[in-house]
Amino acid sequence: MSTDIISREHEVLFQNYRRLPIELDYGKGSYLYDTSGKKYLDFLSGIAVNALGHSHPKLVDAVVKQAQKSMHVSNFFYQESQVRLAELICELGSYQRVFFSNSGAESFEGAIKIARLWGSKHNKTDIYAFHGGFHGRTYGSLSLMDKAIYRDGMGPFLPNMHVLPFNDIDALHSAINEHTCAVALEFLQGEGGIIHAEPEFINALESLKEQYNFLIIADEVQAGAGRTGSFFYFDKYLIKPDIVVMAKGMGGGLPLGAIVTTDELSKVIEKGMHGTTYGGNALACVAGIVVMEELKNGVQHNAKEMGCYLKDALHEVQKEFSDHIIEIRGCGCMQGIVLKYEASALVTELLKQNIITNATAINVLRLLPPLTISKEEIDEFINGLKISLQSLKQ
Ligand SMILES: Cc1ncc(COP(=O)(O)O)c(C=O)c1O
């Protein structure tokens, strides 16, 4: 790490991020290299962003070629890259319409606007989300979250927005009625600690939807775009949400998000009602096209297969370290090791083994390797994990 970067950063940047003591230089595949040349196994993927790992040759080639043609032209013009990417998303996700944004929060915000517009036509006002959910840092998102660190002192928030306990069928029944406009959820909570929606809970939600007619918004920003081995995580349930929000992995490293929905619902947004300068930017879209094509060419299958391999290996580690590990959660390339203590201690130990991970929900070690991860790299991770757990034992 160059010696003065910490003091220079302290002088000029907001001090809102807790940084790991590393200055990264470049990445290749599942590995990152710091400025001294030290190699790290990346089990974070830029927080679920680098779906194809680092410097994927097709991704680099597509972005370089596009940059040489034009980087940005604005949404005043027709753009092949937007249309092609939307076609691929509609095919992989089985929806009909896509709106491109730049981030997860922006996608979620747009989904709320669609719900509100739909609700205004049906005389419905209330939107619900769930405890432990994370939807971004904008006011719409924050109004549907309840974690104090993200909200304290920032109110007032948007009206008619409520947070219910997750997986609590009784709470759902008590809250939802004819005024309900939408229910938003991560079917697999990421920041919340890799917690899935129980199938019975989703069944109850669907029955209530039949009774009261509201929209279901799936936040697939973290779990979507193939990360868990299916294109959307909710594909594992028999449900078709009305609106899906995406970002992170879909851009392979470039800022790209999307709202994905039905032909009918897309029509609540009329010309001029919603938009963004950068959304659907050609550079981001050509990257998105490569991600989607690679998902089709076997990367999504790899995420599923390697996810099973990882999970089996983690269960073996759990047996060996039952005094540390409570549970293994998640699937594909989105898994969590639930510990009996704060996960930050294990993140630090793993870093000593040159492995990058992240702690969430206090005691969950979150694993987000690239979807291209190999068996050998998983073995390397498991080896480093065992050494780290062993040293925490002493
Ligand atoms: C499920 C989920 N939704 C929304 C967001 C917000 O995305 P962004 O940080 O791109 O605004 C995140 C980010 O972690 C997320 O995990």
Side-chain angles (χ1 to χ4, degrees), residues 268-290:
V268 301
I269 303 272
E270 294 168 21
K271 288 211 191 307
M273 283 171 84
H274 188 57
T276 153
T277 299
Y278 285 118
N281 167 285
L283 224 46
C285 281
V286 295
I289 291 169
V290 174

Side-chain angles (χ1 to χ4, degrees), residues 155-174:
F157 297 98
L158 301 186
N160 298 86
M161 303 276 208
H162 317 273
V163 178
L164 299 173
F166 193 40
N167 280 327
D168 184 334
I169 295 175
D170 291 341
L172 210 53
H173 278 282
S174 313

Side-chain angles (χ1 to χ4, degrees), residues 179-192:
H179 303 298
T180 304
C181 168
V183 174
L185 76 156
E186 287 171 271
F187 284 74
L188 180 62
Q189 290 187 343
E191 300 293 320

Side-chain angles (χ1 to χ4, degrees), residues 203-217:
N203 290 344
L205 184 64
E206 279 222 282
S207 306
L208 285 164
K209 178 177 154 80
E210 262 170 45
Q211 190 179 349
Y212 292 117
N213 185 31
F214 54 83
L215 303 179
I216 295 178
I217 302 170

Side-chain angles (χ1 to χ4, degrees), residues 29-40:
S30 304
Y31 294 93
L32 283 162
Y33 297 80
D34 72 11
T35 45
S36 69
K38 197 165 158 189
K39 184 180 178 185
Y40 300 84

